[in-house]
């Protein structure tokens, strides 16, 4: 019995040792690659100092009208993620892609990601870039932040366009996987997961050189302090904005995905309720998933052009 017990103990210690060595290997490999990749990232945008760090803002095109783009939750490389859309929009508009703190090339932050902090930082960055009047376009969760932004700075926003954008009334924001993503990122296991399941990175259909850049920025920012805090505070941010609505005269366009609206009519109904009775607002539905700007950028631009022309924006 003693020999058996000793053998089991040694086996368990050996297994624990192998696990520790394996994790140490993934961790060290990730640190080495992050340092190497930092030198391979092609710089883009402009770093703007805000309360909490420096925020990266990219400006494309030289149109008379300005569109400000805000990313969805855990979109690790916003400027590249939006590339297919911004390539088309910049022909007619000045397009501003904001990478909030903890996203893309922006600094990370330990400041809580309350909706108030997020929107005040975006406002500060745009103000310092002298962007005073614009159409606000938001993907996913940024639809909620946009409501708060419009409420606080109504004189700046001439119209709102949501790309399958979220609303605080949707609820169910308690588990966003932010802790698991942070664990995978900090241990280096995210690289292994991304190799075995490339869809984890949600890479847009772009050329190979941009795919490489996307990956470098993805591993740099995914699982950041900011993203982790944002996921944990999402339910509270919904509660804090549940009372908000758009100004009566603000044109609103929701561009929604069929994969979000078809299985659950509640998603569509929530958006209908938000703009009920508003003659200057409408909903368009496009075939595809939540990241419509990856697959339907051309159709999105057509809707944007038509909507802005119709309302003389």
């Amino acid at each position: 019995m003693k020999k058996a017990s000793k053998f089991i103990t040694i086996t368990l210690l050996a297994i624990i040792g192998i696990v520790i060595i394996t994790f140490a290997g993934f961790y060290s490999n990730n640190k080495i690659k992050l340092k190497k990749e930092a030198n391979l990232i092609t710089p883009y945008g402009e770093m703007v100092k805000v309360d909490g760090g420096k925020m990266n803002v990219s400006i494309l095109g030289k149109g008379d009208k300005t569109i400000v783009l805000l990313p969805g939750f855990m979109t690790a490389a916003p400027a590249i993620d939006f590339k297919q859309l911004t390539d088309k929009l910049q022909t007619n508009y000045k397009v501003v892609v904001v990478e909030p703190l903890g996203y893309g090339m922006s600094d990370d932050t330990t400041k809580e990601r309350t909706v108030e902090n997020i929107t005040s930082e975006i406002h500060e960055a745009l103000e310092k870039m002298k962007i005073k009047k614009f159409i606000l376009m938001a993907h996913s969760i940024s639809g909620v932040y946009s409501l708060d932004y419009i409420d606080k700075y109504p004189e700046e926003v001439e119209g709102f366009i949501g790309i399958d954008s979220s609303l605080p009334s949707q609820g169910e924001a308690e588990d966003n996987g932010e802790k698991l993503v942070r664990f995978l990122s900090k241990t280096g296991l995210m690289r292994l997961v991304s190799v075995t399941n490339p869809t984890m990175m949600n890479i847009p259909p772009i050329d190979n050189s941009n795919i490489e850049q996307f990956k470098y920025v993805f591993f740099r920012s995914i699982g950041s302090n900011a993203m982790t805090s944002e996921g944990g505070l999402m339910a509270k941010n919904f509660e804090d904005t549940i009372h908000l609505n758009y100004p009566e005269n603000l044109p609103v366009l929701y561009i929604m995905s069929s994969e979000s609206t078809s299985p659950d009519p509640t998603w569509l109904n929530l958006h209908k309720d938000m703009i009920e009775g508003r003659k200057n607002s409408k909903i368009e539905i496009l075939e595809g998933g939540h990241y419509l700007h990856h697959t339907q950028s051309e159709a999105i631009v057509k809707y944007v052009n038509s909507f802005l022309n119709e309302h003389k924006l």
Side-chain angles (χ1 to χ4, degrees), residues 74-94:
M74 282 203 276
T75 299
I80 306 174
D81 182 78
F82 279 129
K83 189 177 188 316
Q84 287 176 291
L85 184 58
T86 55
D87 280 352
K88 296 177 179 67
L89 284 174
Q90 66 178 306
T91 303
N92 298 315
Y93 310 100
K94 178 196 285 188

Side-chain angles (χ1 to χ4, degrees), residues 69 81-89 137 139 161-164 202-206 253-261 284-305:
L69 270 167
D81 182 78
F82 279 129
K83 189 177 188 316
Q84 287 176 291
L85 184 58
T86 55
D87 280 352
K88 296 177 179 67
L89 284 174
M137 183 183 290
H139 175 237
I161 299 171
I163 304 174
D164 219 30
N202 197 24
I203 301 173
I206 48 182
L253 170 63
Y254 288 135
I255 302 174
M256 307 183 70
S257 76
S258 61
E259 289 182 19
S260 294
T261 56
E284 302 286 0
I285 298 175
L286 288 174
E287 289 295 320
H290 187 53
Y291 280 72
L292 280 173
H293 51 284
H294 288 184
T295 58
Q296 291 275 23
S297 58
E298 189 170 337
I300 290 173
V301 171
K302 286 182 180 178
Y303 282 137
V304 169
N305 290 340

Side-chain angles (χ1 to χ4, degrees), residues 73-74 170-182 227-236 238:
F73 179 52
M74 282 203 276
Q170 71 189 58
E172 298 181 3
E174 286 75 20
D175 183 11
N176 299 290
E178 71 278 356
K179 291 180 180 177
L180 174 60
V181 171
R182 183 169 177 80
M227 290 182 188
T228 307
S229 175
E230 184 183 0
L233 287 170
M234 196 173 292
K236 184 178 185 304
F238 282 1

Side-chain angles (χ1 to χ4, degrees), residues 11-216:
T11 301
L12 288 174
L13 288 173
I15 292 171
I16 292 170
I18 290 170
V19 170
I20 292 172
I21 292 170
T22 301
F23 269 86
F26 281 123
Y27 177 83
S28 299
N29 176 63
N30 187 50
K31 286 291 184 183
I32 292 168
K33 286 192 172 182
L34 284 174
K35 189 173 182 180
K36 180 182 178 182
E37 290 164 356
N39 296 319
L40 297 174
I41 295 173
T42 301
Y44 61 87
E46 183 176 337
M47 297 295 276
V48 184
K49 190 173 182 180
V50 298
D51 184 19
K54 291 181 181 178
M55 186 180 292
N56 193 50
V57 180
S58 295
I59 298 181
L60 309 161
K62 297 180 180 179
D64 294 331
K65 285 295 178 180
T66 300
I67 295 176
V68 172
L69 270 167
L70 302 179
F73 179 52
M74 282 203 276
T75 299
I80 306 174
D81 182 78
F82 279 129
K83 189 177 188 316
Q84 287 176 291
L85 184 58
T86 55
D87 280 352
K88 296 177 179 67
L89 284 174
Q90 66 178 306
T91 303
N92 298 315
Y93 310 100
K94 178 196 285 188
V95 183
V96 181
V97 181
V98 176
E99 296 189 328
L101 295 180
Y103 283 69
M105 295 304 296
S106 295
D107 289 347
D108 197 4
T109 181
T110 55
K111 190 175 179 181
E112 281 194 329
R113 296 297 83 197
T114 61
V115 66
E116 181 180 0
N117 288 341
I118 291 171
T119 54
S120 66
E121 289 162 3
I122 292 170
H123 174 258
E124 186 177 356
L126 294 176
E127 189 175 48
K128 288 183 176 179
M129 297 291 284
K130 302 188 185 306
I131 298 167
K132 299 177 181 179
K133 287 279 188 181
F134 52 87
I135 294 94
L136 190 55
M137 183 183 290
H139 175 237
S140 195
I141 189 60
S142 283
V144 174
Y145 307 146
S146 295
L147 271 170
D148 187 66
Y149 194 102
I150 294 165
D151 181 65
K152 287 186 171 66
Y153 315 105
E155 71 285 353
E156 297 178 14
V157 183
E158 298 177 300
F160 174 74
I161 299 171
I163 304 174
D164 219 30
S165 54
S166 301
L167 290 172
S169 53
Q170 71 189 58
E172 298 181 3
E174 286 75 20
D175 183 11
N176 299 290
E178 71 278 356
K179 291 180 180 177
L180 174 60
V181 171
R182 183 169 177 80
F183 171 77
L184 292 174
S185 175
K186 297 307 174 185
T187 58
L189 288 172
M190 181 63 80
R191 292 183 185 272
L192 176 63
V193 173
S194 299
V195 169
T196 56
N197 182 18
T199 59
M200 185 84 173
M201 289 187 282
N202 197 24
I203 301 173
I206 48 182
D207 61 74
N208 289 334
S209 62
N210 277 300
I211 287 175
E212 287 304 305
Q213 290 294 309
F214 181 96
K215 289 179 180 178
Y216 299 153

